[in-house]
Amino acid sequence: MDAPTQQEASGSAIEIGEITRVIAEQTGCGSGRAGCASQANRGDLPVETWEKVKNHPCYSEEAHHHYARMHVAVAPACNIKCNYCNRKYDCANESRPGVVSERLTPEQAAKKVVAVASTIPQMTVLGIAGPGDPLANPEKTFKTFGLVRKAAPDLKLCLSTNGLALPDYVDTITKFNVDHVTITINMIDPAIGAKIYPWIFYQHKRYAGIQAAKILTDRQLQGLEMLTARGVLCKVNSVMIPGINDRHLLEVNKAVKRRGAFLHNIMPLISSPEHGTVFGLNGQRGPTARELKALQDGCEGEMRMMRHCRQCRADAVGLLGEDRRAEFTTEKIMEIDVKYDVESRKGYQAKIEEERAAKTTAERADLTKRADSVGGIKLLVAVATKGAGLINEHFGHAKEFQVYELSNGGAKFVGHRRTDLYCQGGYAEEGSLATIIGAVSDCHAVFIAKIGGRPRAELIKAGVEPVDQYAHEPIDKSTIAWFVAYLDRVSSGTIQHEERGDAAIRPRALNSAA
């Protein structure tokens, strides 16, 4: 095992120019490499890996438009303390890791999984992610997996862990055929880790400070190596904390790649005071959209990056970005008798795959010629979507916007922005409009199925073009068509291309029940 790289944390926010310099020096990555994005395709993956990711919404950006997941909250205890975490029970209005409305027994969880998967045939993944750490609750976790495997054998099993106990359970994980494991790794330098983790509880003893962080990072990296050696697909989650681990995550990225991680997900810190976390209460800020993207872009030169993460609750149900858990409360589930039909589910998913295969890719040669003729322009656009890879959401009903980078390489998904609803109960919420525009202020255009006069005017005033002529059309094809026309306008002198500023990442994460 390689020794952790020692690197001092920055005491202030990292500048974009500086992070670009650090990226160039440490990763040797310029514009990136083909196939780095998290959307998987058969062309650059072994068949065995493709089968694992093609319908896993967290491991494939393209799949997350079509397939759903479910988390069951059977693991309440945790063995470490994170300064960005506050586990909340019976909380309906927050959507972030560690939050749940119901804690379940393994028996309740298994019955709920069967009911949800029967109702949502595109649900392909059952995950255990808390609200504590699944491996700090091994009996409940593996009993749940065993019951689900017996009742719903077609579901993929997925586990998320902080990694402290991981080496002790690698054999059990493989025994239960859990072939997707996510490990949260925020540092490989204990000096930095001590600023993130006040303490850990390991082998019946509490450790603090640098000693705690050293034990944690050694165990995380050991567990990652052991899992990948057994063919388990591993995703690494990292929380970007400006001034603490932002530069250091470049080293984390290289370390986890060397140990066989398939995917790296760098997430923004959620740190509003109302969440009650240590970082939230002491004023630690999260990254801006530009800071986050700069870091993700740099790490992408080393390995695949996940950019479509929604930092889900520990009891999430449905497609990424949607919340259907209110439909499946334990009280409702226990009253019904569900017959699980594997063949019917397979038939439904086969139709999804037919539709995915039938999608045509936009012609790139003409796009490349146009983009190069005006200086290789790159820009961001935002899309309001309900899923299925379509522009199918009203501006006023959007709870988030998906962000794409357009260039001579086509349309590349780079992230999402949560927003407040503009229309609630049929009425416009004027106070939220400025916040929504602020969330997409770094974009040149917003693609929507429909938009009202007031928000249209305010977007134009802010320099963001509202685009509704592609309503209910595919995102890739539509955004590229708009980009080609945009390049023509620049080339003819009709408009002048200008760089956009930065945008704010929404610190609060409210779900549809709010």
Side-chain angles (χ1 to χ4, degrees):
M1 186 180 302
D2 298 337
T5 300
Q6 299 295 320
Q7 179 175 344
E8 294 182 359
S10 169
S12 59
I14 186 169
E15 297 294 334
I16 299 302
E18 176 65 7
I19 201 168
T20 303
R21 182 189 67 76
V22 173
I23 288 166
E25 291 179 355
Q26 298 192 17
T27 70
C29 175
S31 59
R33 61 179 175 84
C36 285
S38 63
Q39 62 256 40
N41 60 75
R42 244 174 155 160
D44 65 356
L45 289 175
V47 173
E48 182 180 358
T49 304
W50 166 252
E51 289 300 319
K52 291 181 179 180
V53 304
K54 70 178 183 180
N55 62 353
H56 195 308
C58 300
Y59 281 69
S60 166
E61 186 276 319
E62 202 279 329
H64 100 277
H65 296 294
H66 307 280
Y67 292 101
R69 85 303 187 214
M70 177 181 181
H71 294 167
V72 289
V74 298
C78 197
N79 49 8
I80 71 174
K81 172 63 177 175
C82 307
N83 282 335
Y84 54 77
C85 181
N86 181 22
R87 288 173 287 137
K88 289 187 176 181
Y89 168 63
D90 198 21
C91 182
N93 294 330
E94 291 182 27
S95 181
R96 58 186 177 84
V99 175
V100 297
S101 291
E102 293 182 307
R103 295 173 184 168
L104 306 176
T105 66
E107 292 79 10
Q108 289 173 327
K111 184 166 185 178
K112 191 168 184 176
V113 168
V114 169
V116 172
S118 297
T119 307
I120 306 177
Q122 67 270 39
M123 180 193 139
T124 54
V125 176
L126 181 278
I128 300 178
D133 188 84
L135 299 183
N137 305 260
E139 295 82 7
K140 295 177 181 178
T141 294
F142 291 110
K143 184 174 183 180
T144 301
F145 280 144
L147 291 172
V148 169
R149 175 64 72 195
K150 183 177 180 181
D154 61 322
L155 290 180
K156 288 179 166 64
L157 302 183
C158 198
L159 179 149
S160 295
T161 176
N162 59 47
L164 179 60
L166 183 56
D168 301 331
Y169 292 101
V170 168
D171 290 340
T172 310
I173 288 169
T174 55
K175 174 185 175 183
F176 279 83
N177 295 318
V178 180
D179 53 9
H180 297 79
V181 174
T182 295
I183 313 166
T184 298
I185 302 179
N186 295 314
M187 56 85 205
I188 55 172
D189 181 348
I192 293 175
K195 300 177 182 179
I196 303 172
Y197 306 103
W199 55 260
I200 68 170
F201 191 77
Y202 175 63
Q203 293 186 344
H204 311 289
K205 183 178 178 181
R206 181 175 292 204
Y207 296 86
I210 290 179
Q211 184 182 19
K214 177 67 166 63
I215 294 170
L216 178 60
T217 186
D218 287 348
R219 298 280 290 174
Q220 290 172 332
L221 297 177
Q222 180 188 0
L224 173 59
E225 285 183 339
M226 293 172 70
L227 285 173
T228 56
R230 286 164 171 77
V232 178
L233 215 59
C234 293
K235 174 167 67 74
V236 170
N237 283 353
S238 299
V239 179
M240 182 182 179
I241 312 165
I244 294 181
N245 73 342
D246 40 9
R247 300 185 191 193
H248 181 62
L249 287 179
L250 294 163
E251 296 295 332
V252 172
N253 178 261
K254 292 192 290 185
V256 301
K257 181 191 177 183
R258 286 197 300 269
R259 290 165 175 83
F262 172 75
L263 196 62
H264 194 185
N265 173 27
I266 297 179
M267 308 173 291
L269 172 70
I270 299 175
S271 61
S272 291
E274 59 265 34
H275 295 147
T277 67
V278 173
F279 281 149
L281 295 174
N282 71 13
Q284 171 64 50
R285 75 173 182 89
T288 68
R290 182 177 291 183
E291 288 171 335
L292 180 65
K293 184 177 182 297
L295 181 58
Q296 291 171 333
D297 286 349
C299 290
E300 189 174 67
E302 290 293 309
M303 65 185 297
R304 288 179 171 85
M305 297 297 295
M306 177 181 183
R307 299 181 188 250
H308 61 283
C309 176
R310 299 308 197 273
Q311 294 174 274
C312 301
R313 292 168 58 107
D315 57 2
V317 176
L319 295 168
L320 269 66
E322 83 172 354
D323 183 10
R324 296 185 61 180
R325 61 193 165 77
E327 301 174 35
F328 303 101
T329 63
T330 303
E331 182 180 1
K332 293 178 182 177
I333 294 301
M334 294 303 144
E335 294 176 352
I336 60 177
D337 183 26
V338 179
K339 182 179 180 182
Y340 194 78
D341 188 342
V342 174
E343 293 306 314
S344 176
R345 283 173 44 78
K346 286 182 178 178
Y348 186 92
Q349 292 171 24
K351 291 181 180 179
I352 292 177
E353 289 304 309
E354 288 176 9
E355 292 174 1
R356 289 174 69 183
K359 278 188 175 182
T360 57
T361 57
E363 180 59 50
R364 300 292 171 82
D366 189 41
L367 173 61
T368 301
K369 180 180 178 181
R370 280 178 161 87
D372 289 344
S373 70
V374 291
I377 288 174
K378 286 185 179 182
L379 55 81
L380 300 180
V381 298
V383 179
T385 176
K386 296 178 182 177
L390 303 176
I391 303 166
N392 55 5
E393 183 64 284
H394 190 296
F395 177 87
H397 299 161
K399 297 188 287 292
E400 69 169 29
F401 291 91
Q402 295 188 3
V403 178
Y404 289 78
E405 181 180 74
L406 305 181
S407 68
N408 59 8
K412 173 184 173 182
F413 180 87
V414 297
H416 68 279
R417 309 283 169 75
R418 292 187 177 96
T419 66
D420 293 326
L421 287 176
Y422 177 61
C423 293
Q424 301 196 41
Y427 296 93
E429 193 67 36
E430 300 299 342
S432 65
L433 185 54
T435 302
I436 298 171
I437 294 176
V440 297
S441 59
D442 57 343
C443 298
H444 278 73
V446 172
F447 288 74
I448 58 274
K450 191 175 181 180
I451 188 170
R454 172 70 190 284
R456 177 187 292 275
E458 291 298 319
L459 281 169
I460 293 172
K461 183 178 177 181
V464 182
E465 180 181 345
V467 181
D468 57 1
Q469 64 262 41
Y470 299 104
H472 304 287
E473 295 294 325
I475 293 172
D476 283 4
K477 180 179 178 181
S478 302
T479 54
I480 290 172
W482 175 88
F483 186 50
V484 168
Y486 178 88
L487 295 175
D488 285 344
R489 285 185 285 165
V490 173
S491 181
S492 66
T494 304
I495 60 173
Q496 182 176 352
H497 174 71
E498 295 181 355
E499 297 293 330
R500 301 289 298 166
D502 205 348
I505 294 177
R506 184 83 168 98
R508 293 183 66 204
L510 303 184
N511 62 43
S512 59

